[in-house]
């Protein structure tokens, strides 16, 4: 009997009692290799002593002070850390408690920026199908995860959605990756002409799409073209790096690898690595000064924003990642994991694509490699793979509706940055066994 409203009603998951590096231990003593970082959160693994000590030290000093009355040293230092490393002109940081809050703050700030400039007719956002930006109503509205948003569609704000940059399924045989990227990006231009660019506040996108479509990497030049279109029409570019940022793809900010910077950036998950709930929104000097010199007040806020203990934990996480040069390990182990997954699944008749950057890798399953026909959604192969992986002591992040919200299956891997060669081998072996078992249960092996 449980009084907890769990994610799935009527099902109580195993009880986690201890973290041990790359592993979580349950109440029965079973160990699970956290190959998904939960949901791409636990980038530093579990129970890191320096982070734990930073939390204890901060609680001993002061655990919480409301930002309506005080600032605090951890948030000031964490903001400095992020701004010193952020791309472009992202010089101001607004701290919240998670990714959905970061996206919500980004949407409201973008609108208020134009409102302060006397341009309040801009009320529309454009984003992409097969994206995910959070579960609050604003974030859900700009998100393109149909399974999550359909039930709530009547109460969501107006947002347009264009195609994702999904080369595996959308690139034509007669075009290069660069040509496809240009074509995909030009859908934004077409959408702007349809609704009127003067009505649009911002375009919202994940640099590397996470949970909804399984580590979709943008085609070369795609994001640069998006940036050009936004600049030409004077609309803001909001990049959601909640899942793909903070080193997950091999650089601290994912957009660095595409040579662009947004006007507003949302981050969370790997920022605090799960040691405390924290997220952040970064914005340009232009946006900040427009608010400062206008009303002087961002009409937004949360009780736990700028939380000292959360910021102390996040700063410790980021310092460990930098001091231990873990982003180099992300790139090294990411390449190794991709190589081993390709060796294990590259010729598998029901694996269509293996993609990603750094330690952010997606595997898309299909019924037919040649036609890319998806598996029958009723089989829920992604869920079956998760079940068999958990039975073996492996955590992976499954996804259904990869293609359009209904069809398609993928598995997302996002292990801690501290993994070594043995962890790579364990991930590939156990995932291979789980995939084989799930397909056998479905009569497909």
């Amino acid at each position: 009997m449980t009084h907890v409203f769990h994610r799935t009603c009527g099902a109580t998951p195993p009880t986690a009692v201890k973290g041990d590096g790359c592993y979580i231990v349950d109440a029965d003593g079973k160990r699970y290799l956290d190959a998904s970082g939960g949901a791409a959160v636990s980038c530093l693994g579990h129970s890191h002593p320096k982070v734990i000590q930073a939390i204890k030290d901060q609680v001993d000093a002061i655990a919480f002070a409301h930002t309506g009355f005080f600032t605090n040293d951890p948030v000031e230092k964490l903001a400095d850390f992020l701004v010193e490393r952020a791309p472009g002109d992202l010089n101001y940081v607004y701290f919240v408690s998670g990714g959905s809050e970061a996206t919500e703050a980004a949407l409201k700030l973008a609108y208020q920026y134009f409102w302060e400039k006397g341009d309040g007719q801009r009320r529309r956002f454009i984003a992409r199908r097969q994206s995910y930006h959070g579960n609050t109503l604003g974030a859900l509205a700009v998100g393109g995860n149909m399974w999550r948003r359909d039930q709530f569609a009547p109460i969501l704000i107006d947002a347009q959605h264009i195609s994702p940059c999904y080369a595996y399924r959308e690139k034509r045989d007669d075009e290069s990756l660069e040509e496809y990227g240009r074509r995909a990006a030009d859908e934004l231009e077409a959408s702007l002409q349809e609704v009127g660019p003067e009505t649009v506040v911002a375009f919202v996108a994940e640099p590397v799409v996470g949970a909804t479509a399984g580590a979709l990497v943008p085609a070369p030049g795609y994001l640069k073209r998006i940036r050009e279109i936004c600049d030409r029409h004077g609309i803001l570019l909001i990049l959601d790096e909640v899942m793909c940022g903070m080193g997950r793809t091999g650089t601290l900010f994912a957009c660095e690898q595409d040579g662009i910077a947004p006007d507003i950036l949302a981050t969370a998950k790997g920022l605090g690595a799960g040691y405390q709930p924290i997220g952040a929104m970064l914005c340009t000097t232009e946006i900040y000064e427009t608010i400062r010199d206008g009303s002087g007040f961002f009409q937004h806020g949360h009780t736990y924003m700028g939380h000292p203990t959360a910021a102390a934990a996040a700063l410790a996480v980021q310092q460990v990642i930098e001091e231990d040069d873990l982003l180099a390990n992300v790139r090294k182990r990411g390449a190794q994991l991709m190589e081993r997954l390709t060796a294990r699944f590259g010729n598998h008749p029901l694996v269509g694509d293996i993609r990603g950057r750094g330690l952010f890798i997606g595997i898309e399953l299909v019924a037919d490699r040649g036609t890319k026909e998806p598996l029958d959604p009723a089989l829920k192969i992604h869920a079956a793979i998760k079940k068999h992986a958990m039975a073996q002591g492996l955590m992976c992040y499954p996804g259904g509706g990869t293609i359009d919200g209904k069809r398609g299956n993928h598995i997302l891997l996002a292990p801690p940055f501290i993994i070594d060669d043995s962890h790579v081998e364990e991930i590939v072996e156990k995932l291979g066994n789980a995939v084989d078992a799930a397909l056998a249960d479905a009569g497909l092996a």
Side-chain angles (χ1 to χ4, degrees):
M1 176 68 179
T2 178
H3 294 285
V4 175
F5 200 143
H6 289 291
R7 283 177 177 248
T8 301
C9 298
T12 302
T15 300
V17 297
K18 180 179 174 59
D20 181 16
C22 294
Y23 295 85
I24 290 178
V25 184
D26 73 13
D28 296 324
K30 183 173 179 177
R31 293 167 64 83
Y32 303 81
L33 175 55
D34 190 356
S36 60
V41 176
S42 301
C43 61
L44 200 56
H46 304 275
S47 304
H48 196 288
K50 289 184 179 179
V51 183
I52 292 171
Q53 191 60 53
I55 294 169
K56 290 179 176 178
D57 291 345
Q58 186 58 45
V59 171
D60 284 343
I62 182 169
F64 170 72
H66 196 282
T67 53
F69 302 89
F70 299 98
T71 187
N72 59 79
D73 284 341
V75 296
E76 296 290 344
K77 290 176 181 176
L78 182 57
D80 289 345
F81 183 98
L82 294 173
V83 166
E84 286 168 6
R85 293 157 180 79
D89 190 32
L90 296 172
N91 285 321
Y92 292 89
V93 188
Y94 189 91
F95 289 108
V96 292
S97 297
S100 295
E101 285 186 19
T103 299
E104 204 77 14
L107 300 177
K108 291 175 76 174
L109 180 63
Y111 174 75
Q112 186 173 335
Y113 165 72
F114 285 113
W115 183 84
E116 299 266 4
K117 290 164 64 76
D119 200 0
Q121 81 273 11
R122 292 183 182 265
R123 301 177 182 178
R124 189 189 305 271
F125 292 90
I126 299 178
R128 301 185 297 186
R129 296 188 293 277
Q130 295 311 102
S131 63
Y132 180 62
H133 301 295
N135 250 338
T136 51
L137 289 176
L140 200 60
V142 296
N145 186 309
M146 303 311 296
W147 175 73
R148 292 181 183 269
R149 56 172 282 137
D150 275 359
Q151 178 179 348
F152 302 101
I155 58 174
L156 300 180
I157 62 172
D158 186 23
Q160 296 284 115
H161 291 86
I162 64 173
S163 298
C165 190
Y166 195 169
Y168 171 64
R169 291 197 170 273
E170 301 296 335
K171 187 182 83 67
R172 298 193 304 256
D173 291 340
D174 65 347
E175 62 186 348
S176 67
L177 271 173
E178 290 80 4
E179 290 168 336
Y180 164 67
R182 173 73 178 233
R183 177 167 65 84
D186 282 345
E187 275 201 37
L188 175 58
E189 179 68 40
S191 182
L192 287 170
Q193 296 307 319
E194 178 185 341
V195 301
E198 71 283 353
T199 70
V200 176
V201 174
F203 178 67
V204 186
E206 300 163 275
V208 180
V209 178
T212 300
L216 289 184
V217 176
Y222 171 81
L223 285 176
K224 282 190 175 181
R225 177 62 174 165
I226 291 290
R227 177 77 270 185
E228 291 170 3
I229 294 169
C230 289
D231 288 343
R232 186 180 335 118
H233 294 289
I235 68 175
L236 300 180
L237 175 59
I238 299 173
L239 291 184
D240 173 357
E241 295 203 358
V242 168
M243 185 172 263
C244 65
M246 291 291 100
R248 175 55 59 190
T249 62
T251 51
L252 191 61
F253 294 92
C255 62
E256 294 177 55
Q257 296 178 55
D258 293 281
I260 68 159
D263 302 292
I264 300 175
L265 184 144
T267 188
K269 294 188 184 289
L271 175 61
Y275 286 88
Q276 291 281 285
I278 190 169
M281 174 194 69
L282 287 74
C283 74
T284 63
T285 301
E286 157 70 16
I287 292 173
Y288 173 81
E289 290 183 347
T290 297
I291 306 298
R292 182 198 65 190
D293 299 339
S295 67
F297 181 74
F298 177 29
Q299 188 60 262
H300 190 57
H302 298 279
T303 298
Y304 293 115
M305 60 184 283
H307 196 284
T309 309
L315 181 59
V317 166
Q318 296 307 315
Q319 288 171 336
V320 169
I321 290 172
E322 188 163 275
E323 290 164 5
D324 293 355
D325 197 20
L326 290 179
L327 296 191
N329 198 55
V330 171
R331 295 187 289 271
K332 176 182 179 180
R333 299 303 175 190
Q336 182 184 13
L337 182 56
M338 182 69 79
E339 179 182 343
R340 292 291 294 112
L341 289 169
T342 301
R344 177 62 175 82
F345 294 110
N347 293 317
H348 195 292
L350 302 185
V351 172
D353 195 27
I354 305 172
R355 53 183 177 249
R357 277 183 186 169
L359 286 174
F360 198 45
I361 297 175
I363 301 171
E364 183 169 342
L365 293 107
V366 293
D368 186 291
R369 282 169 61 104
T371 64
K372 303 179 184 179
E373 178 68 22
L375 292 161
D376 181 354
L379 295 174
K380 297 183 179 179
I381 287 295
H382 57 288
I385 292 171
K386 177 186 176 182
K387 181 187 76 172
H388 283 286
M390 286 289 283
Q392 294 187 73
L394 179 73
M395 296 164 58
C396 60
Y397 198 94
T402 310
I403 303 168
D404 55 14
K406 294 181 180 179
R407 301 175 303 139
N409 309 89
H410 69 267
I411 297 295
L412 186 66
L413 298 174
F417 299 174
I418 59 173
I419 62 169
D420 61 24
D421 182 74
S422 68
H423 298 121
V424 171
E425 295 303 318
E426 184 177 351
I427 290 168
V428 175
E429 179 184 357
K430 290 184 174 179
L431 183 62
N433 292 338
V435 169
D436 289 346
L439 293 174
D441 286 352
L444 298 172

